Amino acid sequence: MATTTVLQDELRRKHDELAGRLAHARSIIARPEQTRRGCPPIDQFNAGTSRHLHAVDEALLPAVSAHCEGGAGLVHDYLPMARHLEVLLFHVKAHEYGSTWETTHRWPTLWGEVEEALIDQEEREGELVSRLAEEASDDELLLIAERMAAAERRAPSRPHPHLPHTGLPGKVVRRVARPVDAVWDAVENRSVGGPKPLPHKKPGLIWQYLLGDPRFPDDPANETRHNEPGDR
């Protein structure tokens, strides 16, 4: 049984972030005549939540299937709830941009449903992680947390509730959807933000010599390199 809480703490931090984004997004009051307007707080909440759900599909669900007794059943029970949240995110996007199909929806009702689904999502993720902690080691939980963070950086920015979520089909869908989503975000001028990329690692010794730029620990030239404008 694992003792680390890194994965639990990371999921709690993520949901605190999403809850804050939701509170900001639902505080925006639009006039009835405002359609296809775009709203950065709403776009960023939608994109951030979508990326998180994709990261759960990419990193957490395979770990549950692999390590937990009855893991396939746990994943199967989880997916309908996640798809429900994704459908609501789709409605938020359509409502924000004035879709004629959304005329029967009201913002307060829609936001209330989103908040309830997001709370349910956090609880279900917590249950999956608790089951995982009973079977996996600390090192495995740390690795899963790292994989989730990496998956979120490359995840699509929109929900895709009706496409495959797990297995090889899910991986293919996410890989194809990311650039497609990016194109449509640019076309619609959506402010979707995104996780900060990891800093570039310094080249190793082999690459230094292949690039013709070896760096020795005591070489005074290293100070010059560190002070170059490109390194700031």
Side-chain angles (χ1 to χ4, degrees), residues 1 21 33 38 47 52 55 66 83 121 124 126 155 167 170 180 183 188 204 213 218 227-228:
M1 177 183 294
R21 289 188 177 187
E33 66 272 16
H52 174 68
R83 287 194 176 101
Q121 174 72 22
R124 184 57 61 87
V180 174
V183 169
E188 295 178 338
D213 186 26
D218 299 327
N227 293 326
E228 290 176 353

Side-chain angles (χ1 to χ4, degrees), residues 60-61 66 91 96 130 134 143 147 169 199:
L60 181 58
L61 298 188
H91 281 295
E96 175 194 1
S130 295
E134 295 175 359
L143 183 59
R147 286 175 175 170

Side-chain angles (χ1 to χ4, degrees), residues 123-142:
E123 291 178 353
R124 184 57 61 87
E125 287 177 19
E127 293 171 1
L128 293 178
V129 172
S130 295
R131 289 291 299 274
L132 193 58
E134 295 175 359
E135 306 293 339
S137 66
D138 287 342
D139 289 342
E140 289 167 334
L141 290 181
L142 288 171

Side-chain angles (χ1 to χ4, degrees), residues 50-128:
S50 297
R51 289 189 178 108
H52 174 68
L53 292 173
H54 288 304
V56 170
D57 292 343
E58 181 79 18
L60 181 58
L61 298 188
V64 170
S65 295
H67 295 288
C68 296
E69 182 178 354
L74 293 173
V75 171
H76 180 270
D77 294 341
Y78 159 85
L79 288 174
M81 184 202 60
R83 287 194 176 101
H84 174 62
L85 176 54
E86 288 182 311
V87 169
L88 291 175
L89 295 178
F90 181 86
H91 281 295
V92 168
K93 166 67 169 56
H95 201 58
E96 175 194 1
Y97 282 81
S99 170
T100 56
W101 297 99
E102 297 293 317
T103 55
T104 59
H105 290 77
R106 296 179 64 252
W107 274 120
T109 302
L110 181 56
W111 283 133
E113 292 175 353
V114 171
E115 181 180 26
E116 183 178 349
L118 192 60
I119 292 173
D120 291 342
Q121 174 72 22
E122 181 178 10
E123 291 178 353
R124 184 57 61 87
E125 287 177 19
E127 293 171 1
L128 293 178

